[in-house]
Amino acid sequence: MKSLRAYEKIRDMILSGFKLPGTRLVLSELETELGIGRGPIREALMRLDRSGLVRNVPYKGAIVATPPTQKEILHIYDLRADLESKLAVEAIENLTEADILRLEELLALMEELPQNHYQLDREFHQVICAASKLPHLCNIAQALVQSVESVLNIYRRERVHCIKFNKQHRAILHALKSKNPDKVKETFEVNIKSGLEVIKETFSKMMNVPFE
């Protein structure tokens, strides 16, 4: 599919630094560079806009957004692991029967390995975060996720990744039900750092360079 090929080529140009943040993505220039027609390129730019790598600015057109650097991603995940694990510990005594039921439902849906696995994963985390009763810290946790949303939207979750995350979510839920703070902290940290490993692995494959 031409639009997918255009999407992948423009995405790789941005992630490799060939197209720098702030660069205007002009249709006629991309048509020449990619050897692909304007229709598929327009579709690709709309998809890149949804992923966060490109911003469509009125009167200027498509502009390369500023994705987080590798170093920023590493720091963001360290912060996420620390903050979200603390929020999960705070949530232990506040989780209601309805919360537990929703977590079970989400986990059952994720175990079917659906296309929206990532969205279900985020809701699973949000249910736990909300139960911490610390809304300001929850907002910070959400902001950290949003800061790498463009990266998360680009790196596809393979079946093997989803299966691994499901096992980790099952361990998180078991630890919450057992009301074991140390185990809750440990399982949350493992899950979040596994997400970072997927990003590293996929980036290395796409760019043919190590994620350092």
Side-chain angles (χ1 to χ4, degrees), residues 8 151-158 161 198 202 206:
E8 290 175 343
V151 179
L152 294 171
N153 286 338
I154 290 160
Y155 300 130
R156 265 185 323 193
R157 285 191 173 187
E158 304 294 344
H161 299 143
V198 171
T202 314
M206 283 172 49

Side-chain angles (χ1 to χ4, degrees), residues 147-165:
S147 67
V148 292
E149 199 85 68
S150 61
V151 179
L152 294 171
N153 286 338
I154 290 160
Y155 300 130
R156 265 185 323 193
R157 285 191 173 187
E158 304 294 344
R159 178 185 176 89
V160 65
H161 299 143
C162 293
I163 291 172
K164 179 169 72 171
F165 292 146

